[in-house]
Amino acid sequence: MKPAIVVYKALLPTELRHKLDEHFSVTAFDELSSATYPAFLQALQNAEGLLGAGGKIDADLLDKAPCLRAASTISVGYDNFDVAEMTRRGIVLMNTPTVLTETVADTLMGLVLATARRMTELDAWIRAGGWKESITPPYYGHDVHHKTLGILGMGRIGTALAQRAHFGFGMPILYHSRSRHQEAETRFSARYCDLDTLLGQADFVCIILPLTQQTHHLIGREQLKKMKPGAMLINAGRGPIIDEKALITALQDGTLSAAGLDVFEQEPLPADSPLMTLPNVVLLPHIGSATHETRYGMTACAVDNLIAALHGNVKENCVNPEALKK
Ligand SMILES: NC(=O)C1=CN([C@@H]2O[C@H](COP(=O)(O)OP(=O)(O)OC[C@H]3O[C@@H](n4cnc5c(N)ncnc54)[C@H](O)[C@@H]3O)[C@@H](O)[C@H]2O)C=CC1
Ligand SMILES: O=C(O)C(=O)CO
């Protein structure tokens, strides 16, 4: 008999659904809503595998899935999973690094440009009947090329961003990360420094860190005050890395000149968030990796990851290899 799996919020292309069907007995939920949630919980009771995106996968939910052996997330970030609890139960967690790296670095560079050159504000301007004659110096943007870029998190995506900034825009690069990154230093002349130095010297601070206990609210009121006057803050890591209340105050009182955000403390961003009305903010709805090509690559990778995990053939993309030993 094929192992039972539950797929949620995965939007599987036909050929990937067929691939899963060859290996597993699949129960799929395109959306998780109050209408579909009871059936989802019911299906979890026999599921050996779980594949999907988002959601809070904690001990309570794992209790509802007593047969679970592997979970495969269509993302590189896995802060929504209780990894320690999964490892304790011998449940393998798989993710999709690498396939999305270049696309997310493109998004970050796009956010830097859109924020510095006020692209969304000027888009709204022209739609409201404005034209360039009415744009006076207070509405001008700022140069990006040759300005100093600060990268928080010199991992896969941070390095791809450094490559773009160095070769495409001639930007000097500062970075702060858990450890030194030789390739970024050698190939892109990136300079390692502590957080305060980076905040004090960078014209653009780009966050592409994972959300962990250590990075939660890493950027708060004190850190925002340490940023160089006129500097801009870009976040595509996870929303709670920035204290969003402090960010809003800094944007309102001029401590921070502008921000470009793909991620938020609460997602979807609440309609009454002050961020919605601030002109000096560029907002994206967590679409860092959302291109046709990359989302296909991520979904294909997550499918292969689950097949490998449930067939005891894991070679890569395992978040908690200790679980394999249980
Ligand atoms: N907005 C979006 O759509 C997307 C967001 N992401 C986010 O980007 C994150 C990074 O992705 P990758 O570059 O593939 O991961 P990675 O693991 O290659 O890089 C993360 C880097 O952060 C550093 N780091 C971790 N904790 C730190 C700390 N406390 N202090 C300083 N540095 C620390 C690590 O040393 C590493 O260099 C993901 O975890 C996810 O949260 C990723 C993809 C898409
Ligand atoms: O992969 C991730 O971590 C995302 O946020 C979505 O691509």
Side-chain angles (χ1 to χ4, degrees):
M1 220 168 67
K2 293 178 188 172
I5 67 161
V6 170
V7 175
Y8 66 99
K9 288 174 43 181
L11 302 174
L12 287 171
T14 312
E15 65 278 18
L16 295 182
R17 172 62 199 248
H18 285 161
K19 195 170 185 179
L20 281 179
D21 286 332
E22 277 168 29
H23 292 267
F24 309 121
S25 165
V26 180
T27 308
F29 298 88
D30 287 351
E31 280 304 322
L32 287 185
S33 63
S34 49
T36 59
Y37 207 69
F40 171 72
L41 291 182
Q42 173 81 30
L44 277 184
Q45 278 174 13
N46 309 313
E48 293 183 48
L50 182 65
L51 184 148
K56 192 167 180 222
I57 315 294
D58 58 9
D60 277 355
L61 193 92
L62 295 174
D63 285 344
K64 312 263 184 341
C67 309
L68 201 65
R69 294 194 286 125
S72 179
T73 180
I74 309 172
S75 63
V76 65
Y78 49 84
D79 46 279
N80 53 318
F81 287 85
D82 185 339
V83 181
E85 188 56 33
M86 291 178 78
T87 307
R88 200 182 67 73
R89 296 178 190 218
I91 302 169
V92 175
L93 176 59
M94 311 290 290
N95 71 341
T96 63
T98 317
V99 284
L100 46 60
T101 296
E102 301 293 328
T103 297
V104 182
D106 288 349
T107 305
L108 276 159
M109 206 62 231
L111 269 177
V112 169
L113 287 165
T115 307
R117 300 297 307 274
R118 305 171 76 152
M119 289 188 189
T120 52
E121 208 183 337
L122 294 174
D123 175 282
W125 180 286
I126 189 171
R127 287 171 201 270
W131 193 244
K132 65 177 179 181
E133 284 74 18
S134 46
I135 295 180
T136 52
Y139 291 96
Y140 290 171
H142 287 277
D143 281 346
V144 170
H145 62 88
H146 299 100
K147 293 283 181 69
T148 299
L149 176 67
I151 300 179
L152 289 182
M154 190 63 91
R156 287 172 292 255
I157 301 169
T159 309
L161 173 64
Q163 181 182 31
R164 282 153 177 74
H166 176 71
F167 291 119
F169 294 85
M171 298 172 91
I173 295 162
L174 298 173
Y175 77 99
H176 178 70
S177 217
R178 253 186 329 212
S179 51
R180 298 282 288 263
H181 197 292
Q182 284 311 328
E183 186 199 351
E185 295 190 15
T186 314
R187 291 184 56 207
F188 315 130
S189 308
R191 194 157 61 80
Y192 181 84
C193 60
D194 61 31
L195 180 59
D196 284 359
T197 306
L198 185 147
L199 294 174
Q201 293 185 12
D203 297 297
F204 299 95
V205 174
C206 282
I207 301 174
I208 189 66
L209 290 161
L211 175 62
T212 62
Q213 277 177 1
Q214 292 73 39
T215 63
H216 183 266
H217 283 195
L218 183 71
I219 303 297
R221 195 165 147 262
E222 291 311 311
Q223 290 70 31
L224 290 163
K225 280 200 291 196
K226 287 177 182 161
M227 286 178 69
K228 186 173 170 178
M232 300 181 193
L233 183 61
I234 309 296
N235 187 13
R238 285 290 184 264
I241 296 170
I242 302 180
D243 176 345
E244 205 166 277
K245 269 197 185 133
L247 172 69
I248 290 165
T249 306
L251 287 162
Q252 286 168 333
D253 70 16
T255 305
L256 185 65
S257 137
L261 308 170
D262 185 44
V263 288
F264 304 91
E265 288 218 79
Q266 195 186 324
E267 297 184 6
L269 181 64
D272 61 355
S273 165
L275 288 172
M276 292 284 197
T277 51
L278 284 170
N280 50 344
V281 189
V282 175
L283 303 172
L284 292 178
H286 198 150
I287 50 77
S289 64
T291 65
H292 290 289
E293 299 86 348
T294 294
R295 280 293 163 85
Y296 184 90
M298 291 164 70
T299 309
C301 176
V303 165
D304 289 343
N305 283 344
L306 192 63
I307 293 170
L310 287 180
H311 290 340
N313 190 25
V314 171
K315 294 197 180 75
E316 57 184 0
N317 303 337
C318 183
V319 169
N320 58 346
E322 318 85 81
L324 291 166
K325 297 179 199 134
K326 300 236 167 173

